[in-house]
Amino acid sequence: MTLESVPDRYAVIGNPIQHSKSPQVHALFAQQTRQAICYERLLAPVDRFADSVHEFVAQGGRGANVTVPFKLEAFVLAQELTPRAKAAGAINTLSFSAAGIKGDNTDGIGLVRDITQNAGVQLKNRLVLLLGAGGAARGVILPLIEENITSLVIANRTQPRAMELAQQFFHSGAPVSSAAFDQLDQRFDVIINATSASLDSELPPLPDCVFGPQTLAYDMMYGAQPTIFMQHAAQRGTAVRDGLGMLIEQAAESFFVWRGIRPETALVYRWLRGQL
Ligand code: ATR
C-alpha cells in the first residue's frame, strides 16, 4: 500500500457504542464521495474519555464524533470551539490537527436541514415550540434562531430549566421565551420534541391547542415505529417526522467539516430506514 492510499481514520466515541449507526453512514458517504477514510466505533471507559481521545490522536486519528455520555466532556477538552458549539455547550464533532483539538456541534444544523430540505417545511417566520431543556434541546436553539423564525418557546417539565435556557439566548436579542406546559395557549407551526420522554414511552403533557392541521410535530428520537409523541400528534391531525433524518444530516455535516465535501443524504436515509 502506498502512503497516499492509507485511509484517514475517524471514529465515533461513546459508552455504550455498539448500537451506533455512524460507521455505516460514514462508510456510505465515503464510498459516494470517493474519500479514503475508515470510520470505527471507539468504546471509551466512562472515566477515561480524554485519555481515549488522546490515544486515538496519537494513533493518527483525524476526527471523531462524540456521543452519550461524553458531549459535555468533549466541550471541555476542545481547545478551539465553533460559535455553534459554544451556543450548544456540547460537542458532537472533533477535528484533530497540528493546531490542536477543535470542537464543533452539527446536531442543530442537522435538525434544521432535515426540517427545511427533507421535510420541505420552512422555518422562516414560523412559531416554533421546543420541548425539553437538556443538552438535546440546547444544541438546536442557535441554528433554529438563525433560520429567522418568528419565535421559539421552550417548555420543559422542570420549568426553571426552560427559563434559564431561554434567558441565555434572550440576552442576545433572540425571540426566545419559555412557558409551562399548561400555559401554552396557541397553535405552533413546528413542535420539536427534544425530551427523552419517548424513550420511556411517555408524553410531555401538551394541551391539544398547540397542534393544528399545518403543524409539523418532530421527534428527535427515531425507531422502527412512530414514537408515542408522533402517534399522539398524528391523532390530532398534524404531519409527523422522527429524528432519523437529523441523525443522517448531522453526520453529513460532520463529514463536510472533516473532508470539505457534502455527501448526498437521500439514499443513505432510505437505506438506514430499511435497516430499522
Ligand atoms: P439530553 O441530553 O438527551 O437532553 P437530559 O439533559 O437528561 O438529556 O434532558 C432530558 C430532557 O427530557 C429534560 O428536558 C427532561 O425534563 P426535566 O428537565 O424536567 O428532567 C425531559 N424529560 C425526560 N423525561 C420526560 C418525561 N417523561 N416527560 C417530560 N419531559 C421529560
PDB file of all heavy atoms in Angstrom, residues 132-137 156-158 161 181 194-197 200 202-205, ligand 1:
ATOM      1  N   GLY A 132     -38.388  20.383  26.108  1.00  0.00           N
ATOM      2  CA  GLY A 132     -37.178  19.889  26.752  1.00  0.00           C
ATOM      3  C   GLY A 132     -36.189  21.012  26.974  1.00  0.00           C
ATOM      4  O   GLY A 132     -36.220  22.033  26.259  1.00  0.00           O
ATOM      5  N   ALA A 133     -35.318  20.822  27.977  1.00  0.00           N
ATOM      6  CA  ALA A 133     -34.319  21.859  28.278  1.00  0.00           C
ATOM      7  C   ALA A 133     -32.977  21.220  28.625  1.00  0.00           C
ATOM      8  O   ALA A 133     -32.147  21.833  29.288  1.00  0.00           O
ATOM      9  CB  ALA A 133     -34.814  22.736  29.425  1.00  0.00           C
ATOM     10  N   GLY A 134     -32.764  19.996  28.160  1.00  0.00           N
ATOM     11  CA  GLY A 134     -31.488  19.328  28.383  1.00  0.00           C
ATOM     12  C   GLY A 134     -30.527  19.625  27.239  1.00  0.00           C
ATOM     13  O   GLY A 134     -30.723  20.561  26.456  1.00  0.00           O
ATOM     14  N   GLY A 135     -29.496  18.788  27.129  1.00  0.00           N
ATOM     15  CA  GLY A 135     -28.471  19.005  26.113  1.00  0.00           C
ATOM     16  C   GLY A 135     -29.025  18.945  24.695  1.00  0.00           C
ATOM     17  O   GLY A 135     -28.621  19.736  23.827  1.00  0.00           O
ATOM     18  N   ALA A 136     -29.957  18.035  24.453  1.00  0.00           N
ATOM     19  CA  ALA A 136     -30.503  17.890  23.096  1.00  0.00           C
ATOM     20  C   ALA A 136     -31.234  19.155  22.674  1.00  0.00           C
ATOM     21  O   ALA A 136     -31.124  19.605  21.532  1.00  0.00           O
ATOM     22  CB  ALA A 136     -31.441  16.680  23.045  1.00  0.00           C
ATOM     23  N   ALA A 137     -31.972  19.759  23.602  1.00  0.00           N
ATOM     24  CA  ALA A 137     -32.706  20.992  23.298  1.00  0.00           C
ATOM     25  C   ALA A 137     -31.734  22.147  23.073  1.00  0.00           C
ATOM     26  O   ALA A 137     -31.822  22.869  22.079  1.00  0.00           O
ATOM     27  CB  ALA A 137     -33.670  21.323  24.443  1.00  0.00           C
ATOM     28  N   ASN A 156     -40.639  22.903  29.357  1.00  0.00           N
ATOM     29  CA  ASN A 156     -39.973  21.759  29.988  1.00  0.00           C
ATOM     30  C   ASN A 156     -40.694  21.356  31.257  1.00  0.00           C
ATOM     31  O   ASN A 156     -41.313  22.185  31.925  1.00  0.00           O
ATOM     32  CB  ASN A 156     -38.519  22.142  30.326  1.00  0.00           C
ATOM     33  CG  ASN A 156     -37.699  20.932  30.713  1.00  0.00           C
ATOM     34  OD1 ASN A 156     -37.737  19.919  30.009  1.00  0.00           O
ATOM     35  ND2 ASN A 156     -36.975  20.999  31.818  1.00  0.00           N
ATOM     36  N   ARG A 157     -40.615  20.046  31.564  1.00  0.00           N
ATOM     37  CA  ARG A 157     -41.254  19.526  32.783  1.00  0.00           C
ATOM     38  C   ARG A 157     -40.782  20.318  34.012  1.00  0.00           C
ATOM     39  O   ARG A 157     -41.579  20.741  34.832  1.00  0.00           O
ATOM     40  CB  ARG A 157     -40.897  18.040  32.912  1.00  0.00           C
ATOM     41  CG  ARG A 157     -41.519  17.327  34.073  1.00  0.00           C
ATOM     42  CD  ARG A 157     -41.208  15.852  34.016  1.00  0.00           C
ATOM     43  NE  ARG A 157     -39.752  15.594  34.001  1.00  0.00           N
ATOM     44  CZ  ARG A 157     -39.204  14.403  33.895  1.00  0.00           C
ATOM     45  NH1 ARG A 157     -39.978  13.336  33.767  1.00  0.00           N
ATOM     46  NH2 ARG A 157     -37.892  14.257  33.891  1.00  0.00           N
ATOM     47  N   THR A 158     -39.474  20.501  34.116  1.00  0.00           N
ATOM     48  CA  THR A 158     -38.922  21.307  35.215  1.00  0.00           C
ATOM     49  C   THR A 158     -38.776  22.728  34.679  1.00  0.00           C
ATOM     50  O   THR A 158     -37.819  23.049  33.982  1.00  0.00           O
ATOM     51  CB  THR A 158     -37.554  20.753  35.661  1.00  0.00           C
ATOM     52  OG1 THR A 158     -37.685  19.336  35.851  1.00  0.00           O
ATOM     53  CG2 THR A 158     -37.068  21.397  36.930  1.00  0.00           C
ATOM     54  N   ARG A 161     -35.576  25.144  34.438  1.00  0.00           N
ATOM     55  CA  ARG A 161     -34.541  24.814  33.426  1.00  0.00           C
ATOM     56  C   ARG A 161     -34.862  25.469  32.094  1.00  0.00           C
ATOM     57  O   ARG A 161     -33.973  25.937  31.383  1.00  0.00           O
ATOM     58  CB  ARG A 161     -34.467  23.286  33.211  1.00  0.00           C
ATOM     59  CG  ARG A 161     -33.771  22.527  34.310  1.00  0.00           C
ATOM     60  CD  ARG A 161     -33.595  21.053  33.924  1.00  0.00           C
ATOM     61  NE  ARG A 161     -32.394  20.818  33.140  1.00  0.00           N
ATOM     62  CZ  ARG A 161     -32.122  19.666  32.528  1.00  0.00           C
ATOM     63  NH1 ARG A 161     -32.981  18.655  32.586  1.00  0.00           N
ATOM     64  NH2 ARG A 161     -31.004  19.524  31.862  1.00  0.00           N
ATOM     65  N   PHE A 181     -45.977  23.936  30.469  1.00  0.00           N
ATOM     66  CA  PHE A 181     -46.841  23.192  29.536  1.00  0.00           C
ATOM     67  C   PHE A 181     -48.287  23.683  29.624  1.00  0.00           C
ATOM     68  O   PHE A 181     -48.947  23.884  28.604  1.00  0.00           O
ATOM     69  CB  PHE A 181     -46.793  21.693  29.828  1.00  0.00           C
ATOM     70  CG  PHE A 181     -45.515  21.035  29.367  1.00  0.00           C
ATOM     71  CD1 PHE A 181     -44.600  20.517  30.274  1.00  0.00           C
ATOM     72  CD2 PHE A 181     -45.218  20.933  28.009  1.00  0.00           C
ATOM     73  CE1 PHE A 181     -43.427  19.920  29.845  1.00  0.00           C
ATOM     74  CE2 PHE A 181     -44.046  20.332  27.573  1.00  0.00           C
ATOM     75  CZ  PHE A 181     -43.150  19.828  28.493  1.00  0.00           C
ATOM     76  N   ALA A 194     -37.541  17.475  22.074  1.00  0.00           N
ATOM     77  CA  ALA A 194     -36.134  17.217  22.416  1.00  0.00           C
ATOM     78  C   ALA A 194     -36.033  16.630  23.815  1.00  0.00           C
ATOM     79  O   ALA A 194     -34.960  16.632  24.413  1.00  0.00           O
ATOM     80  CB  ALA A 194     -35.335  18.523  22.331  1.00  0.00           C
ATOM     81  N   THR A 195     -37.153  16.134  24.351  1.00  0.00           N
ATOM     82  CA  THR A 195     -37.093  15.445  25.648  1.00  0.00           C
ATOM     83  C   THR A 195     -36.717  13.987  25.398  1.00  0.00           C
ATOM     84  O   THR A 195     -36.773  13.497  24.266  1.00  0.00           O
ATOM     85  CB  THR A 195     -38.448  15.460  26.393  1.00  0.00           C
ATOM     86  OG1 THR A 195     -39.340  14.532  25.749  1.00  0.00           O
ATOM     87  CG2 THR A 195     -39.075  16.837  26.428  1.00  0.00           C
ATOM     88  N   SER A 196     -36.358  13.310  26.470  1.00  0.00           N
ATOM     89  CA  SER A 196     -36.090  11.884  26.349  1.00  0.00           C
ATOM     90  C   SER A 196     -37.329  11.072  26.728  1.00  0.00           C
ATOM     91  O   SER A 196     -37.238   9.871  26.940  1.00  0.00           O
ATOM     92  CB  SER A 196     -34.888  11.502  27.223  1.00  0.00           C
ATOM     93  OG  SER A 196     -35.038  12.059  28.512  1.00  0.00           O
ATOM     94  N   ALA A 197     -38.491  11.732  26.801  1.00  0.00           N
ATOM     95  CA  ALA A 197     -39.710  11.063  27.254  1.00  0.00           C
ATOM     96  C   ALA A 197     -40.069   9.860  26.377  1.00  0.00           C
ATOM     97  O   ALA A 197     -40.519   8.825  26.885  1.00  0.00           O
ATOM     98  CB  ALA A 197     -40.865  12.060  27.287  1.00  0.00           C
ATOM     99  N   ASP A 200     -39.035   6.410  27.341  1.00  0.00           N
ATOM    100  CA  ASP A 200     -39.818   5.735  28.388  1.00  0.00           C
ATOM    101  C   ASP A 200     -41.277   5.587  27.983  1.00  0.00           C
ATOM    102  O   ASP A 200     -42.136   5.374  28.831  1.00  0.00           O
ATOM    103  CB  ASP A 200     -39.747   6.550  29.694  1.00  0.00           C
ATOM    104  CG  ASP A 200     -38.314   6.759  30.152  1.00  0.00           C
ATOM    105  OD1 ASP A 200     -37.526   5.821  30.010  1.00  0.00           O
ATOM    106  OD2 ASP A 200     -37.995   7.866  30.624  1.00  0.00           O
ATOM    107  N   GLU A 202     -43.269   7.868  27.244  1.00  0.00           N
ATOM    108  CA  GLU A 202     -44.062   8.881  27.936  1.00  0.00           C
ATOM    109  C   GLU A 202     -44.223  10.102  27.048  1.00  0.00           C
ATOM    110  O   GLU A 202     -43.432  10.322  26.131  1.00  0.00           O
ATOM    111  CB  GLU A 202     -43.380   9.279  29.252  1.00  0.00           C
ATOM    112  CG  GLU A 202     -43.523   8.211  30.310  1.00  0.00           C
ATOM    113  CD  GLU A 202     -42.812   8.557  31.603  1.00  0.00           C
ATOM    114  OE1 GLU A 202     -42.349   9.694  31.748  1.00  0.00           O
ATOM    115  OE2 GLU A 202     -42.720   7.657  32.451  1.00  0.00           O
ATOM    116  N   LEU A 203     -45.257  10.873  27.365  1.00  0.00           N
ATOM    117  CA  LEU A 203     -45.576  12.070  26.572  1.00  0.00           C
ATOM    118  C   LEU A 203     -45.370  13.321  27.398  1.00  0.00           C
ATOM    119  O   LEU A 203     -45.813  13.370  28.547  1.00  0.00           O
ATOM    120  CB  LEU A 203     -47.061  12.049  26.210  1.00  0.00           C
ATOM    121  CG  LEU A 203     -47.524  11.385  24.951  1.00  0.00           C
ATOM    122  CD1 LEU A 203     -49.041  11.505  24.895  1.00  0.00           C
ATOM    123  CD2 LEU A 203     -46.923  12.064  23.729  1.00  0.00           C
ATOM    124  N   PRO A 204     -44.751  14.360  26.841  1.00  0.00           N
ATOM    125  CA  PRO A 204     -44.792  15.651  27.535  1.00  0.00           C
ATOM    126  C   PRO A 204     -46.260  16.084  27.608  1.00  0.00           C
ATOM    127  O   PRO A 204     -47.003  15.874  26.639  1.00  0.00           O
ATOM    128  CB  PRO A 204     -43.995  16.587  26.618  1.00  0.00           C
ATOM    129  CG  PRO A 204     -43.208  15.680  25.720  1.00  0.00           C
ATOM    130  CD  PRO A 204     -44.008  14.425  25.577  1.00  0.00           C
ATOM    131  N   PRO A 205     -46.705  16.639  28.734  1.00  0.00           N
ATOM    132  CA  PRO A 205     -48.137  16.955  28.922  1.00  0.00           C
ATOM    133  C   PRO A 205     -48.570  18.199  28.143  1.00  0.00           C
ATOM    134  O   PRO A 205     -48.753  19.273  28.695  1.00  0.00           O
ATOM    135  CB  PRO A 205     -48.242  17.182  30.436  1.00  0.00           C
ATOM    136  CG  PRO A 205     -46.880  17.637  30.837  1.00  0.00           C
ATOM    137  CD  PRO A 205     -45.897  16.986  29.916  1.00  0.00           C
TER     138      PRO A 205
HETATM  139  P1  ATR B   1     -30.494  15.158  26.790  1.00  0.00           P
HETATM  140  O1  ATR B   1     -29.031  15.441  26.790  1.00  0.00           O
HETATM  141  O2  ATR B   1     -30.916  13.996  25.958  1.00  0.00           O
HETATM  142  O3  ATR B   1     -31.291  16.384  26.501  1.00  0.00           O
HETATM  143  P2  ATR B   1     -31.117  15.468  29.589  1.00  0.00           P
HETATM  144  O4  ATR B   1     -30.185  16.613  29.751  1.00  0.00           O
HETATM  145  O5  ATR B   1     -31.184  14.425  30.666  1.00  0.00           O
HETATM  146  O6  ATR B   1     -30.833  14.655  28.264  1.00  0.00           O
HETATM  147  O7  ATR B   1     -32.589  16.073  29.345  1.00  0.00           O
HETATM  148  C1  ATR B   1     -33.693  15.255  29.197  1.00  0.00           C
HETATM  149  C2  ATR B   1     -34.897  16.156  28.901  1.00  0.00           C
HETATM  150  O8  ATR B   1     -36.066  15.357  28.734  1.00  0.00           O
HETATM  151  C3  ATR B   1     -35.207  17.139  30.022  1.00  0.00           C
HETATM  152  O9  ATR B   1     -35.733  18.297  29.454  1.00  0.00           O
HETATM  153  C4  ATR B   1     -36.273  16.370  30.818  1.00  0.00           C
HETATM  154  O10 ATR B   1     -37.096  17.186  31.606  1.00  0.00           O
HETATM  155  P3  ATR B   1     -36.636  17.657  33.079  1.00  0.00           P
HETATM  156  O11 ATR B   1     -35.673  18.791  32.881  1.00  0.00           O
HETATM  157  O12 ATR B   1     -37.878  18.059  33.743  1.00  0.00           O
HETATM  158  O13 ATR B   1     -35.981  16.451  33.706  1.00  0.00           O
HETATM  159  C5  ATR B   1     -37.050  15.764  29.694  1.00  0.00           C
HETATM  160  N1  ATR B   1     -37.855  14.588  30.071  1.00  0.00           N
HETATM  161  C6  ATR B   1     -37.398  13.358  30.381  1.00  0.00           C
HETATM  162  N2  ATR B   1     -38.415  12.523  30.641  1.00  0.00           N
HETATM  163  C7  ATR B   1     -39.578  13.251  30.496  1.00  0.00           C
HETATM  164  C8  ATR B   1     -40.969  12.957  30.620  1.00  0.00           C
HETATM  165  N3  ATR B   1     -41.394  11.737  30.959  1.00  0.00           N
HETATM  166  N4  ATR B   1     -41.842  13.948  30.382  1.00  0.00           N
HETATM  167  C9  ATR B   1     -41.434  15.178  30.036  1.00  0.00           C
HETATM  168  N5  ATR B   1     -40.126  15.527  29.905  1.00  0.00           N
HETATM  169  C10 ATR B   1     -39.214  14.569  30.139  1.00  0.00           C
END
